Amino acid sequence: MSTQPPLIEAENLSVKYSNGDLALEDVTFTIDSSTFLAVIGPNGSGKSTLLKTMLGLLKPNEGSIKVLGYDAKRAYKTIRHLVRYVPQRDQIEHTVPMKVKDIVLMGRLLKKPPPRFSTTKDSECAKAALHRVGLDELWNQPFPELSGGQRQRVLVARALAGEGPVMMLDEPMSGADHDSQVRIVEALQEYYNENQVNIIMVTHDLNPIHMVVKDVLMLNRTVMGVGHPCAIMDLDLVKQVYGPTAKIVELDGHKYCITHDSGIDRHDH
Amino acid sequence: MIIDIISLIASSPVMQRALLATVLVAVIAATSGTFMVFRGLSFLTSGVAHAALGGASLGLFLQATGIAPWFDPILGAVIFAVFVALLTAYAGERGVAQRMEVAVGVSFALSMSLAVFLMYYLPPTMIPQIWGYLIGDILLLDNLDIVLLVGTALSLVLLVILFKKEFVYVSIDMEGSTAHGMNARGYHYLMLIFAAVAIALTTKAVGAILVYAVLVAPAAASNEILKTVNSVIIGVFVIALASMLAGLAGSFTILASPSAIAGLIAALSYIIAIQIKRFTRKD
Ligand SMILES: Nc1ncnc2c1ncn2[C@@H]1O[C@H](COP(=O)(O)OP(=O)(O)OP(=O)(O)O)[C@@H](O)[C@H]1O
Ligand SMILES: [Mg+2]
């Protein structure tokens, strides 16, 4: 494992949007493979920007970022081959009458050259993935008619059905109720434990995944903290990122982080 | 009555051409209109049809003034259509449909103004040619029109057979498709440019009125009630064909343009589809 290149290696990375907004500034950090990484930070802190830069969808203004040793600016094609990605919710359109199975199969067919025919193996993988998120019975249902939480689970299944050593999920639990959140977390944890895979999950609420993640990256335009979940639970840091109302509470040997927007973040000491 | 119509069709080349055109336009609607609706871009259809009008009048102007006698109005129509498609595709590179609508609106206004502007400088004998783009008549098609329609329909069918999945993926999740290594941007441009050229050539052949009538409403109607991509494509074909046949038949019994009747029926299909959807939702 130590001979493997790190999962992410960012050096003085800055990313600017065309309107001049500097979304990330002087970002430097390294995350080793294999891991389950949570990227946290308030709205507009650059979490989605970081994922898009890793995928070569946005180009660094300065500095560089590598994924498994491949530079995102030059070798984005290789990276895209290795990655399965679930975009943030508002990127998915519901104007096309697709069945749930078609969406899940997309995770596999996108990696094939046209005409992207699906084989029996593709269907089996897609079915197994849908089973993992607990939605077997929706296989033949129209995707646009699902609830927000069900759609999120289907999109997670799309990533689970695919292949490639890196999964990137941008807020896969937004709009999902408690039950759906639990199903998503359980599915990802189970998949992570059973497979040789890296999971990078953007979230603004660490609470539902505090027990499963190995590393946390806290962003607010630049790196505010990086390391194991314990190291992130620092009062000064949390106040700096989430504002003066943020608190850390200890109860039953667990630390709880209470912020104005995310409720309670808990993790083991 | 029906016997009369059938014998009329059998004996008249005009009717044979009209019927062939009806089937071809229905194919074009099913292949191009459907994907525009999926992409949230049914508005592009009317934008391109008007741009074709602007381009055609530019072509006529260049010919009439002798500036560029080789500049055929059809060439102008196609160039303007591609321009609209490129502008729209560029605005929508990030996959956001709203920005594309603005781009269509702007180029729509631009080409329509150009058309009206140039009309003042054209000899009056040429004006009917411009209006032909707007109010074509399916009963007055010449051989060139049929050739254009056949070519357009065949290319669209081939394109959809080859890249249906890609077009659907681009419509659902452009960013995710790119991130998985698909050249989503390329398919995005391919889809819009092909649709625009098809719409421009169809407009030249049958007129903008019929293009609006059967390229937008049937696709919107099918997409409201049908649940798979293939069934929507077939649904569009059936509704478009039925509207146009009814238009043709109707134009014999009442004195009205077949395009106008087809448009009314197609629009009605959308209203009915919405009612069906509302009704079935309550159960
Ligand atoms: N397409 C864009 N054009 C211009 N600025 C943008 C664009 N996308 C994001 N930004 C800006 O970049 C900054 C970071 O945005 P980003 O989407 O990465 O934040 P985020 O951490 O993912 O937020 P959220 O929790 O709301 O998803 C914000 O200030 C935002 O306004
Ligand atoms: Mg985001």
Side-chain angles (χ1 to χ4, degrees):
Chain A
M1 194 116 305
S2 56
T3 55
Q4 242 189 307
L7 173 63
I8 315 174
E9 202 178 359
E11 260 181 49
N12 304 318
L13 176 75
S14 296
V15 182
K16 211 184 220 172
Y17 281 99
S18 46
N19 63 1
D21 278 2
L22 203 54
L24 290 172
E25 192 176 6
D26 202 15
V27 170
T28 302
F29 69 93
T30 302
I31 304 280
D32 283 321
S33 172
S34 300
T35 188
F36 194 137
L37 169 72
V39 180
I40 62 170
N43 290 133
S45 56
K47 306 180 296 289
S48 301
T49 304
L50 183 74
L51 289 197
K52 289 179 198 172
T53 312
M54 283 195 269
L55 288 162
L57 298 169
L58 294 171
K59 300 290 174 216
N61 201 41
E62 271 171 54
S64 67
I65 188 162
K66 288 180 182 170
V67 180
L68 292 175
Y70 298 100
D71 185 90
K73 199 168 170 179
R74 265 168 278 137
Y76 64 89
K77 280 191 178 152
T78 315
I79 295 173
R80 289 177 189 174
H81 194 71
L82 302 173
V83 168
R84 335 174 199 172
Y85 173 60
V86 177
Q88 206 164 343
R89 199 170 174 221
D90 51 10
Q91 292 290 328
I92 309 284
E93 293 285 341
H94 311 120
T95 44
V96 188
M98 294 277 273
K99 297 274 177 70
V100 166
K101 61 178 172 189
D102 299 318
I103 299 284
V104 181
L105 274 170
M106 226 178 136
R108 298 188 65 80
L109 303 188
L110 272 171
K111 299 263 184 198
K112 295 187 177 185
R116 304 175 207 268
F117 289 129
S118 70
T119 61
T120 324
K121 184 177 179 225
D122 292 327
S123 305
E124 278 167 9
C125 289
K127 275 196 179 124
L130 204 56
H131 178 71
R132 279 186 188 274
V133 297
L135 293 180
D136 316 59
E137 77 280 8
L138 296 186
W139 177 253
N140 248 321
Q141 292 302 304
F143 180 73
E145 290 175 14
L146 304 187
S147 73
Q150 287 172 328
R151 273 188 210 143
Q152 288 293 11
R153 281 153 78 180
V154 170
L155 289 170
V156 170
R158 182 178 87 169
L160 293 174
E163 277 166 21
V166 185
M167 282 176 68
M168 293 186 190
L169 307 110
D170 199 341
E171 309 224 12
M173 297 187 299
S174 73
D177 64 8
H178 180 73
D179 280 358
S180 282
Q181 291 197 358
V182 170
R183 290 311 293 244
I184 290 172
V185 174
E186 280 177 2
L188 289 172
Q189 181 174 24
E190 209 179 272
Y191 189 82
Y192 176 71
N193 291 336
E194 289 167 17
N195 294 274
Q196 191 63 39
V197 69
N198 294 281
I199 299 182
I200 304 170
M201 180 167 155
V202 168
T203 176
H204 60 262
D205 188 2
L206 195 57
N207 181 42
I209 52 168
H210 65 284
M211 302 294 266
V212 294
V213 297
K214 235 172 97 178
D215 294 295
V216 177
L217 172 69
M218 192 189 268
L219 285 179
N220 201 0
R221 222 160 65 103
T222 188
V223 179
M224 302 305 289
V226 60
H228 299 292
C230 299
I232 296 294
M233 290 295 135
D234 176 80
L235 184 60
D236 289 340
L237 182 61
V238 168
K239 280 192 167 175
Q240 211 183 326
V241 175
Y242 289 100
T245 53
K247 291 191 187 82
I248 287 184
V249 184
E250 286 204 38
L251 198 68
D252 290 340
H254 296 297
K255 268 187 185 173
Y256 295 79
C257 170
I258 305 175
T259 67
H260 60 281
D261 77 332
S262 69
I264 298 170
D265 283 348
R266 195 197 74 169
H267 76 100
D268 287 313
H269 257 308
Chain B
M1 178 70 220
I2 289 175
I3 310 266
D4 286 352
I5 292 177
I6 291 172
S7 63
L8 184 74
I9 291 167
S11 59
S12 142
V14 169
M15 276 311 290
Q16 287 163 2
R17 272 206 285 257
L19 276 182
L20 178 59
T22 298
V23 175
L24 292 169
V25 173
V27 169
I28 293 167
T31 43
S32 132
T34 305
F35 287 91
M36 290 301 104
V37 167
F38 288 167
R39 196 72 183 85
L41 261 184
S42 36
F43 191 40
L44 183 70
T45 303
S46 49
V48 167
H50 281 97
L53 192 73
S57 47
L58 180 66
L60 288 171
F61 175 77
L62 293 176
Q63 284 186 331
T65 53
I67 297 176
W70 48 269
F71 199 100
D72 195 279
I74 295 181
L75 184 64
V78 168
I79 290 173
F80 270 49
V82 171
F83 169 75
V84 175
L86 285 177
L87 199 72
T88 310
Y90 178 73
E93 271 196 17
R94 298 248 171 269
V96 187
Q98 289 127 302
R99 290 185 59 194
M100 294 196 278
E101 283 212 328
V102 176
V104 175
V106 170
S107 42
F108 185 155
L110 201 72
S111 38
M112 214 39 204
S113 318
L114 183 72
V116 174
F117 180 81
L118 290 175
M119 265 187 222
Y120 284 100
Y121 298 92
L122 285 176
T125 49
M126 281 184 153
I127 303 294
Q129 270 202 63
I130 296 184
W131 290 124
Y133 274 77
L134 197 58
I135 322 165
D137 192 333
I138 201 156
L139 293 169
L140 293 178
L141 302 181
D142 57 27
N143 284 335
L144 174 66
D145 295 329
I146 296 291
V147 169
L148 287 179
L149 287 177
V150 169
T152 305
L154 285 182
S155 338
L156 281 177
V157 167
L158 187 70
L159 204 68
V160 168
I161 288 173
L162 287 177
F163 301 126
K164 188 180 79 185
K165 283 202 180 83
E166 284 76 5
F167 293 161
V168 164
Y169 290 170
V170 166
S171 305
I172 293 179
D173 178 10
M174 186 143 168
E175 190 180 286
S177 302
T178 312
H180 282 84
M182 191 179 103
N183 181 8
R185 194 162 159 254
Y187 291 113
H188 168 68
Y189 274 85
L190 184 71
M191 176 163 85
L192 294 195
I193 290 173
F194 246 87
V197 172
I199 293 162
L201 295 178
T202 311
T203 305
K204 156 70 185 104
V206 298
I209 304 287
L210 191 63
V211 170
Y212 313 144
V214 295
L215 259 67
V216 179
S222 300
N223 203 25
E224 287 292 332
I225 45 177
L226 297 171
K227 311 278 187 210
T228 66
V229 172
N230 287 340
S231 63
V232 172
I233 292 176
I234 293 167
V236 177
F237 178 78
V238 171
I239 297 176
L241 189 67
S243 317
M244 284 184 287
L245 290 179
L248 272 181
S251 69
F252 289 104
T253 48
I254 55 173
L255 264 182
S257 137
S259 302
I261 301 173
L264 286 175
I265 292 172
L268 206 62
S269 77
Y270 179 65
I271 294 164
I272 292 170
I274 287 185
Q275 296 308 323
I276 291 176
K277 195 175 182 185
R278 194 183 283 171
F279 192 72
T280 50
R281 238 195 208 154
K282 274 185 190 148
D283 309 334

